[in-house]
Structure formats: structure tokens, C-alpha cells
Amino acid sequence: MWPVIAFAAAFAAGATIPAASAQVPPDVYEPAEIVSRHPDTNGPIAGGAIGPAISALGHVVAFDTGFAAGVPDRPMYRHRPSAFTGFVDPPTGHNLGLSDDGCVIAYSDRDLYGIVLQAFDRCTGAVLELDSFYPPAGVDEVPAPGVSADGSVIAFAEPDYYPGEPWTIVIFRDGVRETTIEPPDSEPFIDHVSISDDGTVVAFSAWGLEPAYSTTVWLFDLKNPGLVLASRDASGQPANYSGHTSISGDGSLVAFESGYSVRVFDRSTASNLLVFEGAGSPVISRDGRYLVFYNYDEFEQSFVSLVSSSDRWRSSSPAEL
């Protein structure tokens, strides 16, 4: 049972969101809604809002303020678009993961003794310190954790105390340290952790420095332990320079960036499909039918784009813009 600690929450009232246009011309980018707002003023936070996460239904967006002007110490906020309301969660923190219902937020923070891994349930007020450790030289923070649908399972990447030693992924279930996942020997460092809805399948990117810099994407099934390489190219060979992993809710699909293209790995068929060229940082929806990523136009302007697939990326040309 998580201990309960009271946190003050700040509320700000605002206007409702107008309904989206039924049809948008394909050459027009509809302005995105700004969700990085300060809960006291409801005004946009001036730059520096980073690391967003979104709930399964899209009704809660969480983010940290990075190094935004006038917002020191990187506080985290939660925003409910239907009411333009921001909630202050734990006072500070960064690199967060969010449960499907938008209640549980897992994050890391720094204190005088090193890095602290915590989880906070805004819906119940429960807070849990999962772990704390003194990081090796040069490591100031850890990647955002993977959080299961109900927030009961959290996967964090943890570095070893000694620089250059392998990292591990630590699985916490109901607040208890359950098991660890070791990366491949050739790529001992971990980034971009993602986890399935039931907390049994973990996707992550790993990287190494020797014999040459490499980054690949891996899967680990807690019910059938063993590493599976997800990042392969069209010929089936390992695809280097791959990362930014995101897993579907059922754990069957993994989206990742590979050489500035977006690919989807299907565990059921072991197929690896190119979805979009010239794009990166993909996030796949929990039902596996939607992908969001950023890409650039011919004027080097960056945009966030959304594509969908009715057959969950099994056809040769799956993108339906």
C-alpha cells in the first residue's frame, strides 16, 4: 500500500476547446492547442516545456517545464484539455511516464544524494519512492520510465555506480522491486523504455561505444524471458542508429526511429515495416492503429504528424494520412 502524502494542487479555470473542424484541407496545418500552461495564470509557459506524455484517452497531458523562463527547478504539470486546467503534481521532477488513466505519474528527480525514482498517484494522493542511487560521473538524469496501463508496473533504467559499467532496467510491481533486465553485452547503456499495458513486455533502446557507436531496439517478455532484436532493416539485418521506442498496449507492436525513418516491428510475424521516411521520435497508440511523430517540410520547418493503419501496419503502404 502506498503511503499517502498530501500535495497542494493549483487549479485554473478557462474556456472550453472549440470542436475540431470536420474537414481540413491536406495542405493546411491546423494550429495545435498549447497545453503547457501555468496553473496559476492559465497563460502559456514561456518556452522550455519538454518531455510530454499523454493518457490513453488523450484527456490528460503531463510534462515537465525543463528550463522554462520564470519556472525554476523543473516542476511537473498535468493538464486536462477539456477544462484548460493545470495540476501541479510533485514539486519537481523530469523525464516522466504516465498511466493510461492519467493518474499515476512516474519520474526521476535529483537530491543532495543523487537520483531518486518516484511515483505519484494524483487521484489518490499516494506517493512512492521506488529507489535512489548515486549516479556515475557524467550522468545527471535517467530516461523516462515505462508505465503500465493501471500504473502498477513501472520500468526504470538505472545506471551502475561505476562509469562505463552496464545499466539495467528495474521492474517495480506495486511498489516492490521485482526483477531486472540486462542489456546486450555490446550495448550496455539504456534509453527510451516503454512497457505494455499489463506490464509484461518491455521495449527499450540500447547503445554502446565499442567497437563503434551503435544503437538498437530490443524487446524483453517477462513471461518468456529473453532478448529479441526488434530493429531490423528490410533485409532482416540489424538496423543501427535505432531508438525512440514505443510499444502498443498488447505488447505486439513496437514503433521506433531508425536512420531518420519510422518503422514498426510486429512480434507476431517478426516483420519490420517502413512506415515513414524523414521522420523521428514515433509514439504508437495503445491500440496500435495510430502513430504520431515529427517530420520536416522542404523549408526545414518541423511538424508533428499523425498517421493511421486499419490493419495495424501489415500492408506494404500502411499510412493513411
Side-chain angles (χ1 to χ4, degrees):
M1 189 73 175
W2 289 12
V4 176
I5 297 179
F7 281 89
F11 298 88
T16 59
I17 300 174
S21 170
Q23 293 187 357
V24 179
D27 59 343
V28 175
Y29 288 95
E30 188 151 308
E33 176 198 355
I34 296 177
V35 299
S36 52
R37 296 178 178 274
H38 197 285
D40 294 333
T41 65
N42 200 36
I45 294 174
I50 60 175
I54 191 168
S55 62
L57 298 179
H59 68 305
V60 176
V61 177
F63 57 93
D64 80 65
T65 53
F67 305 100
V71 188
D73 300 327
R74 299 183 71 166
M76 293 182 295
Y77 293 99
R78 192 172 306 217
H79 170 82
R80 295 180 183 272
S82 61
F84 279 113
T85 305
F87 298 92
V88 180
D89 281 332
T92 60
H94 49 276
N95 293 354
L96 58 93
L98 190 66
S99 63
D100 278 10
D101 61 5
C103 285
V104 177
I105 182 172
Y107 61 97
S108 58
D109 201 5
R110 290 297 301 259
D111 63 14
L112 294 176
Y113 304 101
I115 293 178
V116 181
L117 308 180
Q118 291 183 299
F120 174 69
D121 190 334
R122 200 200 62 80
C123 297
T124 66
V127 64
L128 181 70
E129 181 173 316
L130 299 171
D131 203 0
S132 62
F133 53 87
Y134 194 81
V139 175
D140 295 320
E141 56 188 42
V142 297
V147 182
S148 66
D150 62 1
S152 64
V153 183
I154 299 171
F156 262 109
E158 286 192 13
D160 189 89
Y161 173 76
Y162 296 99
E165 291 299 307
W167 289 39
T168 56
I169 294 177
V170 182
I171 307 297
F172 298 91
R173 188 178 298 271
D174 297 322
V176 178
R177 187 185 183 106
E178 182 179 73
T179 188
T180 59
I181 300 172
E182 306 290 336
D185 293 339
S186 59
E187 296 171 332
F189 309 112
I190 298 170
D191 203 356
H192 299 108
V193 182
S194 183
I195 196 168
S196 62
D197 275 350
D198 64 359
T200 63
V201 184
V202 178
F204 63 94
S205 56
W207 57 279
L209 299 176
E210 299 292 342
Y213 181 81
S214 62
T215 56
T216 50
V217 175
W218 297 84
L219 278 170
F220 190 92
D221 191 333
L222 296 174
K223 294 181 295 185
N224 186 24
L227 289 172
V228 175
L229 179 64
S231 53
R232 297 185 183 275
D233 57 24
S235 64
Q237 297 301 309
N240 196 3
Y241 306 112
S242 299
H244 291 279
T245 57
S246 176
I247 196 169
S248 62
D250 63 3
S252 66
L253 301 175
V254 179
F256 61 94
E257 174 184 339
S258 181
Y260 200 47
S261 64
V262 171
R263 307 187 74 94
V264 172
F265 174 75
D266 188 335
R267 291 180 63 204
S268 64
T269 61
S271 61
N272 200 309
L273 188 65
L274 174 65
V275 174
F276 210 92
E277 293 274 15
S281 299
V283 177
I284 195 166
S285 62
R286 302 307 274 181
D287 65 3
R289 294 182 56 242
Y290 297 90
L291 274 171
V292 63
F293 49 82
Y294 77 85
N295 59 300
Y296 291 87
D297 64 11
E298 65 270 25
F299 303 106
E300 295 300 312
Q301 299 289 324
S302 62
F303 298 93
V304 173
S305 299
L306 175 73
V307 294
S308 66
S309 171
S310 57
D311 64 1
R312 300 177 91 233
W313 321 101
R314 290 182 178 175
S315 59
S316 58
S317 300
E320 302 163 0
L321 292 178

